[in-house]
Every structure is written in C-alpha cells, then in structure tokens.
Amino acid sequence: MPDRGGGPTGPRMRVGRPSRRVRTLLMTLGVLAVLGMAFTMFAGFWTDWLWYRSVNYSSVFTTTLWTKIGLFFVFGLLMALAVGFNIWLAHRLRPPLSAMSMEQQSLDRYRMGIAPYKKWLLLAITALVGLIAGASASGQWRTWLMWVNGVSFGQKDPQFHLDVSFYAFDLPWYRFLLGFGFAAAILSLIAAALTHYLYGGLRVTSPGARATAAATGHLSVLLGIFVALKAVAYWLDRYGLAVKSSDFKATDNWTGLRYVDANAYLPAKTILFCIAVICALLFFATLWRRTWQLPVIGFGLMVLSAILIGGLYPAIVQKFQVQPNEQAKEAPYVEKNLKATREAYGIDGAEVTEYTGTSKTEDKTQLRDDVDATASIRIMDPNIVSPTFQQLQQMRKYYAFPDNLDVDRYSVDGTDQDTVIGLRELNLAGVDKQNWINNHFRYTHGYGVVAAKGTTADSEGRPAFTESNLPSEGVLGQYEQRIYYGEKTTTYSIVGGPQKEIDYSDDQGEKTTSYTGKSGVNLSNPVNRAAYAVAFGEPQILYSGAIGDGSRILYNRTPKERVEAVAPWLTIDGDAYPAVVDGKIQWIVDAYTTTNGYPYASRTTLGDTTADSLTATNTNRAVVAQQNQVNYIRNSVKATVDAYTGEVKLYQWDTEDPVLKTWMKAFPGTVEKKSAISDSLMAHLRYPQDLFKVQRELLTRYHVKDATTFLSGSEVWQVPDDPTNKSGDAVPPYYLSMKMPDQEAQAFSLTTTFTPNGRDNLSAFMAVDSEAGTPDYGKIRVLKLPTSTTVDGPKQVQSQFNSEQDIAESIRLLRGGDSEVEYGNLLTVPLDGGLLYVEPVYVRGGGLKYPLLRKVLVTYGGNTAFEDTLDEALNKVFGTEGTTPTPPADDGDTTTQPPTSGDATVQEALKDAQEAFAAGQEALKKPDWEAYAKAQKELEAALERAEEAQAEADRSGSGGSSSGSSGNKATSSPSSSPSASGSGGTGSSAGPSSSPSSVSSPSG
C-alpha cells in the first residue's frame, strides 16, 4: 500500500508516553470524578426520599418514582429496539456487491472505517435514542396515571356522546402514544435510509436502479407505518375538535365545535382517514410489486386532499354558509359551549337576579338601622395595615408580617367577628450579625399571632388588637406560638441539636429553646449529612460541631411548597392563610384539580385570570401554576400545614369531583375523607380567592344563557380596575360578613363588582357564600343592575369622593406637610335596593412609618359623607341623629343637672389628659424625647383614670355619658378627650403629624 499519510520516511519517531505515576493519577482522578457525579445524583435522590419520609408521604415519592422509571425503560427500550432493529435489518438487506462507481468507492472508505466498530456504533445509537425517548416518556407520568386510574364523569359530550373522561384521561394518553409512534417511525426511517445508502442499497449518482428491491420494500413498509399512524391521527382529530381552542369573536379561547367544524372539518377528517388507510395499504403492497409508483401517487393524493378537503373546503363553508347568517348557524354550538363552560367552572348554579340599584324605603332612620344588620363593614384593610402591625407589634427586627394580612372570623364575646390576622414570622434580613450559625441555627422561627378587629379602630386610628404582645395574648387562648413554617420562611434551619435557638425576648432578656417536634430529617447519620452538604452546596453541614445528636434539618418550609410537594397533581391557591385551631397555628391552603380536556368548555389561563392589583405588587399571592391553561377547575382539596411541626394534611372537599377520585386511586391514602375535618377547623375554612377570580372572569360573558345575547356581546361585563390606586389592575375580591337580599342573616362572603364592557357604571354585584359547613356554601349570587338606568360604579364613586369640594379640602389638609393619604378597600354592600359604598382612609404623616385610620368615606343614594368614624359617616349619609344618649332629667326638668362626684372625677382626669397632651406637643417641637415619653405616660394614665371613673359612674347610676364607634372600647368620651379634639384622634383633619401617636417614640 502506498503511503497516503505524507508522514516522515526515516526511522519512527518515538512518542513519549506518560509515566506510570501520571497514568495512575489520571485514572484516579477520573474514578473520583465519576464517583463525585454519582454521589451528587445520589444526594438529590436520597434527600428527596428522606424529606418525603419525614412528612409521611413516602408513597407519593415511590409511586411517582416507579412510574417515571417504568415509562423511561419501557418507551426507551421500545424506541431503541425500533431504531436498532431497522438499522440491523437494513444492514442485513445490503447488496452483496456494490456498483463500481465513484460514489460507492467513496463510501467504501466509510464502510471500512466503521467495520470494526459496527456493534458498538449500533449500541451507541440505540442507547442515545432510547435515553432521549425514555426521558421524554417519563415526563408523561401524570398522563399515564390519569389514564390507568381514570373514573367516569357521568357526563357525555353533546357531539360524540362519549363520557367526558375519554377527553380528560384517555385522549391525552392516546395522543402521547401517537406522537411516540411518529417519532419511532421517522427515526427508524432515517436510520434505515442512511444504512441502505452506506451499504449500497440506495444510490444517488450510480448508474442503474436507485434502490435495491430489498431497500424499496423495507423503506416502503416504514413509510406505510408512518401513513397508517397519520390515519389514526386523522381519526383522533375528529374527537379533538371537541376540545380544540380557536379564535371566535364571541369569546377568547373558544373551545369546542362550531358550525364549520361539525359540517366541514369533521367529514373532512373522516375522508382523510379513509384516504390515509388506502395510501398506507399501497405502501405495504410494494413488498410484492417492488415499485413506488402507486404509493407515491397515493401519497400525493393524500397531500392534495389534505389541502383541498382539510383546508379549502372549510374556508368555503365559513365564507359562504356561516358568515351570511352567523347567528343562526352558530347558535346551537354556542348553547353547547355555554352549558359546558358553566358546568366545568362550577358557575352553572349561579343565581342572577334583577336589582334596581335605588332604595325603596323613604324612612332613612330605618335604613340606618338596617346597615348594621346587613353587613359587618370592615374598615381595617388587610392590604394597608401590615406596616401598622409591623410598627406596633414587630417587637424585634428579626420578626416581620406579610405585606398583605388575611381576613378570618373568630368568636369574640360569643359573637363572630371579622378579624384581620397575621403571624409574626422570622425575618433573617433583620438579624444584625449575618453568619451561617445565626441564619440557620439560632434564628429559626417566628413567634405568635397578632389579630385585630376588622370593623373598628381605636381612638387614634390604630387597629383594635384582640391578640397582641410577645408572647401573644388575647382572645385566642393558649396555643403553640412558635412558627417554624410560614410564608416568609424560605431558608433551611438546623434545630434540635447542641446549638440552642433564640425563642423570643422580653424585659428579662433573650429566651432560648430547642425544637422538640418530629419534623425535618435527622442529621445524626453521616451519610445524611454528606448528602445534604452536597444537595445544599454547604460543606459545613458535613463537619460543623453545631450539629450533633438530635439535630434535624427543616426545609421546604412555606405552606404552598409543602402542599405542592406532597401533592404534585394539585394546583395551589395563591393565598395561604393562618388560623388558630385546637391549640395550634395551622396554615390553610386551598388546592384545585384541573384539566384542559373538558369538551366544549372554554379555556382560561390561570395566571391571567387570577391577576389583580394585589398580585401585581405581591408575587407570593400568585397562583402556583400561573401559565396553566385549563377548562375545568374544582376546589377539591383543603390542606393544612402545622406552623410548628410542618405536618401536612390533605382533606377531600369536593366529594363528587372525578379528577380528585382519579388521583386518589393513583395515590391511595394521601387524601383524608371530608368527614375527618374537625368542627374547629371547619369554622375557619372559606371560599378560595383564586377560584372566585376565575369564576368572576368567566361570568363577565357566561352569565347569559341564550346564544343570541351571547353572540351579540351586548351583555358583556368586565371586572373594574382597582379605583383606590393607579396600578390599572383589576380590583381584588373582598371578604366581608354581609347579607344578600334573599338571605335571612349575615354570612361570611367573598364579593366583587362588575361594570359594562368599556364603561364605568355598575352592571352587577357578585357574592359567594364562604361559610364552610353550611348548606349555602359556594352559592353564587349575582345582582344584575338595569341597563336602562345608570348606577355609579367603583371608579365613579371614587371620583366623586375625590372631586367633592369639602372632601377634597379635607384630603388636602390630611396631606399637609409630608403626609401621605392611602385609600383602603372600597367595599360595596347591597342595601334596600341601593348600594352602599364604604372606604376607609389612612394617613402616614411626618416621621410616622405606618398608616393610621383617619377618616371613613360613605356614599348611598347620591349622599356622601367623609367623617372621623364609620358611625358618624353613616349617620350623616342617612340624615339621622347621633347615637349618644342624653340622661333624662327628674320630674320633667330640662335644666342641666350639676355633675356628680363621678362626673367631676372624669372631668378632672380629662383635664389632666389635655395638659399631658399639650406637654407632649411642646416636647415634640423642641424635640425633647425624654419629656415626650413622660407626657405620653401621663396621658395614658389620665385616660385610664377617666375610663375607670366613667365606668364607676355608670355603675352607680350617676348619668355619665359615653359615645364612640360601635365596638370601640378605647374612647370614653370623644367629645371631650384630647384624642378627639383639636388635632388628636381619628377626627383630626390636620394629619397625624399633630397627633400624640403621630411621631414614633425612641423605643418604637
């Protein structure tokens, strides 16, 4: 053989080989690298297993794992066998001799080059395609589990009369199998064609036939399989029309058949199926005929038919049959869509009733009395007062409250009270000295619940706390106050070992504790420590002396993370909320089952539908699966997460939901029966916000039930923008205890308003009963305003507030200096045919870091009031007298009686309070913080003496008077106390900078 390499012709040059030591070192490094990669993979797997076992949901881990492994190996092996077999068969069918041509001579070099490695090359190719296919198939574990465990919906689609479960559970699996078949056929065809070409079975430039008979038959069969799969695809596409989304002017994300689908696409798919079957048979026939003529003709006919029948014909039907008479043609299909959409989103039971929007009662006094019976109007906005909670109840910098507090109801003095509630959670950003020990061993948990009445404020505009201080104390009684799991707890902690934790601080200094719960993973095992050191990228976990016997690592600590981890088949609501239940703080998490396979039901994107002015500023309130498109949703599961132990419990809430039943079959034992929910927990369950927001968005169009109105678009509503800010985002729904016109008593409800599309006047008011455990829970009531008259909507009401001269002047004064005015939630309450609007107004003034309630805006029937308290504003709107009683005189004598000793004591105490207040104001001007603090103490003592004296006078019958907002026990006599006169208290129009509480004391 001539030398073709062009290398040296002299003696061979010796190439230096690495020494044995170097080779050993390289081999050792290689082995260590492989072991390191293996241990990294093992660490992730092992820590996951340990975590699931620690929360007692190991069955979720094992079921998911084995399902993924099974799908990986089955479909990976099938793909490898399909591709490998066709490569082997193509090699086996190679011609014995290759043609003498330049093309084949060039290929000879490649054939000779790979000859020694043919088996290894075949294994490498099949392994590669098998790994890719297996990894793709393992991602379909949800589809497989839903198919194999699917239960019947008990409802049939109106077109094909198949159970809805076929579309929700079966069709997605069939489509996956079809896609896998297409991939296997195409890869096998490519691999076989390349092998035939390499070994001479296919020729491009060689003389003679372009393909051998064996190659022709082999490739024809593969093409026939591909076309046969296309025929199956055409057949499944017929059913896919029932869940197909399309653009339709009646609504976005229209789903289901329309006239052109039923009368053009459906028959077209059937015809194309028949043509594809014939074409596949022609390809198979080449095994005997050995010619491509008929299969190519058949394939060309199929392509032409797809263009003409599948594309052109439906366009002609749409143009010449549907468009000239669209309403008549589309009406039957729109009715199917209306019915299916209302059923799929649970709005089919929504009651839409006519509501006049104007009051029917002329007796204003009666209306004023009806307000208290109709609604417990919440003037504490949980989305405004978080900084107030923070400033007054934070206690230590390493505690914090969420940006948006929650609304719940608690029994206070035997009466259910709407309550604003938040947890004092751990805030590591407030730790002065940041280091690994402090961040993960010493500062590990928050402490205590802080709660306030939702319907009242104290005399200075602050929340009227019912649970406060550190440790927390109040109406909630005794409960475990340590919060190891919360919305702000996003890092891991290592507890229970030799390192003590900071519990809380009081006047005697810091208290320490050691976690005694069974939560978390034990780190006593060195393998566990090594695994977590790798998984968390923190080597100190492996060797730190702060870890010892009893040490446990806590992670995945937010309620939403924990519920999503133990139930990955659920969609989690954006707002988890805390409640004190049976001596424990429990996070309550609403969870949904969803599918996008409900026939004829229009789809919605959860992230878009659930967005509002709160989620825009607080991403923690966003629904977990933001981009999921669904057309069926149920609040099927109520979950709880213990704030101390981290224990997760899932309760079946919707006992009829077939999707939940399917998942309960797939993961038996993970969801407890509804009957396991205790009465104390039931008292705090409520209707979830995200489901409500999805339903209200659908009801903007689907409140109508006839196709003609739906198609005309004349009754389309919209969710108004939040009028209290300039974000341009939708107004959030509000929780409120209220009574709808057909209800006998108040019920905890979730409410919203609607306006006509493109306009600002009110078109409807919607409320859903949120009292869990009652027969009416989940009942949607919609009050529809007449289209012939105009009723002001939220934006117009807010505009009236801002434009009325007296109110605008008061707002200007409140903004004096560098004060800021913040508008609270604009609440809407149906009252006697009209609509009552109430909005609290908060002020941050001067150096004050938190908002205080200063005014309340109320409007009803065109009358508007802007007063210091809700009662005063309601009295002014309805033109009624104040509620302060006047002591009767003896024997009809109307002369003012001289004050008794009790009255004199009250007056003396109030005089002392006035002097203390004045002294405090003088101290602020200097400023002299020591004198200010002293004056504040004297003021507080004087007011307490006044309250005690007033109470004693009332008991002795001395005729002492008392007044104030309902439920406000802090103000004994607003008309004469310093906090209600001049610039103090809620009635101040000069802003908080002139109030005794308007400047933070040095200790605060």
Side-chain angles (χ1 to χ4, degrees):
M1 291 288 289
D3 182 6
R4 300 176 184 275
T9 57
R12 278 188 175 273
M13 298 179 60
R14 296 189 63 182
V15 180
R17 296 178 62 190
S19 66
R20 179 176 296 178
R21 180 179 298 177
V22 173
R23 292 200 305 270
T24 303
L25 177 61
L26 291 175
M27 186 177 296
T28 303
L29 290 175
V31 171
L32 290 175
V34 172
L35 289 176
M37 293 175 60
F39 188 79
T40 300
M41 296 174 62
F42 166 79
F45 163 81
W46 185 243
T47 53
D48 284 347
W49 160 248
L50 291 174
W51 186 86
Y52 275 96
R53 192 175 63 175
S54 73
V55 293
N56 298 318
Y57 282 89
S58 55
S59 62
V60 174
F61 179 81
T62 53
T63 300
T64 304
L65 177 65
W66 287 116
T67 302
K68 290 180 178 179
I69 290 174
L71 292 172
F72 177 87
F73 280 105
V74 168
F75 286 95
L77 187 61
L78 286 174
M79 182 65 77
L81 288 174
V83 175
F85 172 76
N86 282 282
I87 293 175
W88 173 84
L89 185 60
H91 180 266
R92 183 74 179 271
L93 297 176
R94 68 190 184 279
L97 298 173
S98 58
M100 296 303 294
S101 65
M102 293 298 296
E103 179 185 19
Q104 293 304 314
Q105 289 178 17
S106 299
L107 291 173
D108 278 339
R109 291 198 297 271
Y110 294 103
R111 287 192 284 264
M112 292 172 62
I114 66 172
Y117 312 106
K118 285 191 294 185
K119 290 183 179 180
W120 292 108
L121 187 61
L122 177 62
L123 286 174
I125 293 173
T126 54
L128 178 62
V129 296
L131 286 172
I132 295 173
S136 176
S138 66
Q140 297 294 323
W141 64 271
R142 290 180 177 87
T143 308
W144 161 260
L145 288 176
M146 292 183 77
W147 178 68
V148 77
N149 295 288
V151 301
S152 172
F153 272 70
Q155 294 174 292
K156 295 184 177 181
D157 77 283
Q159 182 66 41
F160 301 102
H161 307 292
L162 296 173
D163 192 89
V164 173
S165 61
F166 171 80
Y167 301 93
F169 306 141
D170 299 342
L171 190 57
W173 179 248
Y174 297 152
R175 282 177 164 167
F176 164 70
L177 292 178
L178 187 62
F180 178 83
F182 274 123
I186 292 171
L187 289 175
S188 297
L189 182 63
I190 294 172
L194 290 174
T195 305
H196 279 299
Y197 176 70
L198 181 63
Y199 286 96
L202 290 179
R203 307 182 185 96
V204 178
T205 60
S206 301
R210 298 298 184 194
T212 63
T216 300
H218 184 195
L219 298 179
S220 295
V221 170
L222 291 175
L223 286 170
I225 292 173
F226 177 83
V227 176
L229 290 171
K230 188 62 180 173
V232 176
Y234 282 133
W235 190 257
L236 289 181
D237 284 347
R238 298 169 68 254
Y239 302 110
L241 292 171
V243 289
K244 182 195 74 171
S245 289
S246 59
D247 294 331
F248 189 34
K249 68 178 183 180
T251 183
D252 297 331
N253 294 317
W254 168 277
T255 301
L257 286 83
R258 291 155 50 196
Y259 181 88
V260 69
D261 297 312
N263 295 278
Y265 281 111
L266 188 57
K269 297 293 183 182
T270 306
I271 295 171
L272 289 171
F273 164 77
C274 297
I275 294 173
V277 170
I278 295 171
C279 185
L281 293 175
L282 291 175
F283 274 107
F284 293 141
T286 56
L287 285 172
W288 296 275
R289 293 181 55 86
R290 304 295 184 182
T291 176
W292 293 60
Q293 185 177 5
L294 285 178
V296 169
I297 293 173
F299 189 77
L301 176 63
M302 187 179 74
V303 173
L304 182 62
S305 300
I307 296 172
L308 296 178
I309 301 175
L312 185 60
Y313 175 61
I316 293 173
V317 172
Q318 179 69 23
K319 179 71 174 178
F320 296 101
Q321 290 190 32
V322 177
Q323 288 186 4
N325 192 17
E326 186 173 42
Q327 286 205 358
K329 296 290 186 183
E330 299 287 13
Y333 305 96
V334 170
E335 289 177 356
K336 296 175 183 177
N337 176 270
L338 285 169
K339 183 175 184 296
T341 302
R342 291 171 63 86
E343 290 173 349
Y345 290 94
I347 57 177
D348 50 325
E351 290 185 357
V352 181
T353 57
E354 299 295 328
Y355 194 72
T356 60
T358 55
S359 176
K360 299 170 290 187
T361 301
E362 295 183 0
D363 185 356
K364 299 298 184 181
T365 303
Q366 179 63 43
L367 285 179
R368 174 64 185 90
D369 294 337
D370 289 344
V371 172
D372 294 332
T374 301
S376 298
I377 298 173
R378 180 172 42 76
I379 56 176
M380 280 289 113
D381 186 348
N383 308 308
I384 295 289
V385 299
S386 177
T388 308
F389 272 52
Q390 186 82 0
Q391 186 71 13
L392 300 179
Q393 289 295 320
Q394 179 189 22
M395 304 302 183
R396 292 294 183 268
K397 291 193 298 182
Y398 48 83
Y399 293 133
F401 292 92
D403 294 334
N404 304 104
L405 303 176
D406 290 290
V407 177
D408 201 348
R409 55 259 193 253
Y410 286 87
S411 179
V412 179
D413 298 329
T415 303
D416 283 346
Q417 168 76 50
D418 285 4
T419 301
V420 177
I421 186 171
L423 300 190
R424 193 183 286 113
E425 293 193 49
L426 178 66
N427 174 34
L428 287 176
V431 176
D432 290 330
K433 190 175 182 181
Q434 298 278 335
N435 56 54
W436 189 64
I437 293 294
N438 277 347
N439 291 351
H440 300 288
F441 290 82
R442 287 177 56 77
Y443 296 92
T444 59
H445 59 277
Y447 208 99
V449 174
V450 175
K453 293 181 180 180
T455 55
T456 188
D458 71 8
S459 60
E460 296 179 2
R462 300 175 301 190
F465 291 110
T466 57
E467 185 80 10
S468 59
N469 300 330
L470 182 67
S472 295
E473 55 187 4
V475 300
L476 301 183
Q478 298 296 317
Y479 58 94
E480 173 56 67
Q481 298 200 21
R482 297 173 183 88
I483 302 160
Y484 283 87
Y485 295 88
E487 290 182 302
K488 302 179 79 68
T489 316
T490 56
T491 188
Y492 69 90
S493 289
I494 298 176
V495 298
Q499 177 66 58
K500 291 293 186 180
E501 311 161 43
I502 293 177
D503 202 20
Y504 65 90
S505 301
D506 59 15
D507 294 339
Q508 283 73 44
E510 289 184 347
K511 308 292 185 181
T512 60
T513 188
S514 188
Y515 185 68
T516 58
K518 300 302 182 183
S519 183
V521 178
N522 196 321
L523 292 181
S524 300
N525 188 327
V527 175
N528 291 358
R529 292 177 67 169
Y532 279 102
V534 172
F536 288 4
E538 181 49 71
Q540 293 186 79
I541 294 177
L542 184 61
Y543 56 78
S544 174
I547 301 175
D549 291 339
S551 290
R552 310 181 72 85
I553 185 167
L554 313 181
Y555 61 105
N556 286 351
R557 298 170 70 183
T558 68
K560 289 193 287 186
E561 276 182 330
R562 295 181 77 78
V563 175
E564 189 181 28
V566 303
W569 33 272
L570 291 173
T571 299
I572 311 303
D573 189 271
D575 184 26
Y577 61 98
V580 177
V581 180
D582 297 328
K584 300 177 181 178
I585 300 174
Q586 298 280 354
W587 288 99
I588 300 175
V589 183
D590 286 288
Y592 310 106
T593 49
T594 62
T595 179
N596 64 356
Y598 198 100
Y600 271 103
S602 291
R603 287 184 171 87
T604 185
T605 303
L606 293 181
D608 297 337
T609 310
T610 58
D612 58 29
S613 61
L614 296 183
T615 61
T617 58
N618 186 358
T619 55
N620 288 332
R621 295 180 73 97
V623 68
V624 169
Q626 291 194 32
Q627 298 309 313
N628 275 14
Q629 268 212 336
V630 304
N631 67 352
Y632 172 93
I633 186 169
R634 290 290 186 272
N635 177 211
S636 298
V637 173
K638 300 284 188 181
T640 61
V641 177
D642 192 292
Y644 182 74
T645 66
E647 181 184 23
V648 181
K649 287 188 176 181
L650 307 176
Y651 298 99
Q652 182 184 19
W653 185 248
D654 189 331
T655 57
E656 303 299 323
D657 177 30
V659 181
L660 178 60
K661 290 179 180 179
T662 296
W663 287 119
M664 289 176 70
K665 280 182 64 179
F667 296 96
T670 57
V671 181
E672 299 185 36
K673 295 294 185 182
K674 186 176 183 178
S675 57
I677 300 176
S678 65
D679 292 340
S680 53
L681 175 58
M682 185 72 75
H684 295 282
L685 300 182
R686 67 189 192 189
Y687 201 82
Q689 291 190 57
D690 284 338
L691 176 60
F692 182 80
K693 287 188 279 189
V694 169
Q695 290 174 327
R696 74 172 179 178
E697 184 64 33
L698 268 296
L699 280 170
T700 59
R701 291 180 179 272
Y702 285 91
H703 62 277
V704 301
K705 297 182 180 180
D706 63 287
T708 302
T709 306
F710 186 83
L711 285 168
S712 69
S714 60
E715 290 289 333
V716 175
W717 300 339
Q718 66 182 14
V719 179
D721 294 340
D722 191 343
T724 64
N725 58 60
K726 299 179 180 179
S727 66
D729 297 297
V731 62
Y734 296 124
Y735 287 106
L736 185 69
S737 289
M738 58 166 292
K739 181 175 69 174
M740 291 289 276
D742 65 330
Q743 291 180 291
E744 296 296 327
Q746 292 183 22
F748 194 61
S749 304
L750 193 53
T751 66
T752 192
T753 53
F754 296 105
T755 58
N757 194 25
R759 289 183 292 162
D760 294 326
N761 57 289
L762 197 68
S763 57
F765 174 83
M766 171 181 170
V768 62
D769 194 318
S770 299
E771 289 278 1
T774 61
D776 276 352
Y777 172 84
K779 184 174 183 178
I780 298 174
R781 296 175 172 89
V782 180
L783 304 180
K784 183 176 179 294
L785 280 299
T787 57
S788 57
T789 59
T790 300
V791 178
D792 289 339
K795 187 175 181 180
Q796 293 172 322
V797 170
Q798 187 69 47
S799 179
Q800 290 177 11
F801 285 158
N802 296 339
S803 61
E804 190 162 322
Q805 185 174 354
D806 292 342
I807 295 177
E809 178 62 21
S810 297
I811 294 291
R812 187 187 67 79
L813 291 173
L814 288 174
R815 287 198 176 110
D818 57 354
S819 299
E820 297 178 6
V821 172
E822 296 183 35
Y823 294 101
N825 38 218
L826 180 57
L827 301 176
T828 308
V829 178
L831 177 67
D832 191 54
L835 290 158
L836 175 71
Y837 287 97
V838 178
E839 182 179 68
V841 178
Y842 299 83
V843 176
R844 294 182 195 236
L848 201 63
K849 299 178 180 179
Y850 57 94
L852 296 175
L853 179 67
R854 288 307 186 198
K855 293 284 186 176
V856 179
L857 286 160
V858 174
T859 185
Y860 183 83
N863 297 323
T864 302
F866 184 58
E867 300 298 325
D868 299 340
T869 67
L870 175 62
D871 281 345
E872 291 174 0
L874 291 172
N875 291 340
K876 182 174 181 180
V877 162
F878 293 105
T880 58
E881 296 296 328
T883 58
T884 304
T886 302
D890 293 336
D891 302 325
D893 186 4
T894 58
T895 307
T896 303
Q897 301 296 317
T900 65
S901 60
D903 291 324
T905 305
V906 171
Q907 296 299 323
E908 290 173 3
L910 290 177
K911 181 180 178 182
D912 292 342
Q914 184 67 51
E915 292 174 354
F917 172 67
Q921 294 297 95
E922 288 297 323
L924 282 176
K925 293 177 182 179
K926 295 182 180 180
D928 183 343
W929 296 112
E930 184 177 350
Y932 174 76
K934 179 181 178 182
Q936 288 292 93
K937 291 180 180 179
E938 293 175 353
L939 173 62
E940 184 177 1
L943 289 175
E944 287 177 357
R945 291 200 310 274
E947 189 172 7
E948 291 171 359
Q950 182 65 62
E952 179 64 30
D954 290 342
R955 284 193 297 269
S956 62
S958 61
S961 63
S962 63
S963 63
S965 301
S966 62
N968 187 350
K969 300 179 182 179
T971 305
S972 59
S973 181
S975 61
S976 58
S977 72
S979 59
S981 63
S983 59
T986 318
S988 168
S989 61
S993 58
S994 58
S995 165
S997 65
S998 63
V999 178
S1000 302
S1001 65
S1003 60

